[in-house]
Amino acid sequence: MNSSSDVVAGLDGCVVQEPDAARVAATRDRLVTPDEATRLAELFRLLGDPTRARLLYALLEAGELCVCDLSDAVEVTDTAVSHALRLLRTAGIVASRRAGRMIYYRLADAHVRILLDLSREHLKETG
């Protein structure tokens, strides 16, 4: 029979199964709710598409572009751009404005800009 000193824990495991109740409770108090976690996962799923990511970075750099400009910038069809923008607009990630017959798209708010900036910085750090 193995004694507790003979137990080998995996690299990601706990050697001693004695959770710190105070730390666990404090963490639970600050944890996102299940609904927030679902919404965050949906947001990251939207951002997880390479074409949509490139569109967002094009808007980050340009400020505001129409569908045909975005299509040329990221080298995908107008149809693909329109579909991606519809998803991003519905999720509140991009906003639009009409000028005559043209519709121009931009990032919805500073939070999206910060998220994109931080994500790119993280990529640079991790190589």
Side-chain angles (χ1 to χ4, degrees):
M1 199 172 276
N2 291 339
S3 70
S4 62
S5 63
D6 294 337
V7 174
V8 177
L11 294 176
D12 294 332
C14 293
V15 176
V16 179
Q17 291 292 321
E18 294 179 19
D20 182 331
R23 290 187 80 186
V24 169
T27 301
R28 282 186 181 155
D29 288 344
R30 293 187 304 272
L31 198 60
V32 296
T33 66
D35 180 57
E36 288 172 320
T38 298
R39 291 173 48 215
L40 280 168
E42 290 169 359
L43 171 67
F44 282 112
R45 198 172 302 119
L46 272 174
L47 300 176
D49 176 80
T51 298
R52 289 191 294 262
R54 293 190 75 218
L55 289 170
L56 291 172
Y57 279 100
L59 293 173
L60 177 68
E61 295 303 323
E64 187 177 71
L65 292 168
C66 66
V67 170
C68 60
D69 289 343
L70 280 165
S71 176
D72 282 352
V74 300
E75 301 172 308
V76 297
T77 66
D78 287 2
T79 304
V81 170
S82 293
H83 178 70
L85 289 171
R86 188 170 30 260
L87 293 171
L88 294 168
R89 190 177 64 242
T90 300
I93 298 170
V94 299
S96 62
R97 74 170 176 88
R98 182 178 291 278
R101 293 179 56 196
M102 299 293 291
I103 299 176
Y104 293 92
Y105 293 87
R106 67 187 179 284
L107 298 179
D109 59 34
H111 297 110
V112 176
R113 181 175 299 279
I114 291 167
L115 180 62
L116 294 172
D117 283 338
L118 289 173
S119 298
R120 196 166 200 185
E121 191 63 32
H122 178 69
L123 285 177
K124 289 177 184 175
E125 288 178 7
T126 59

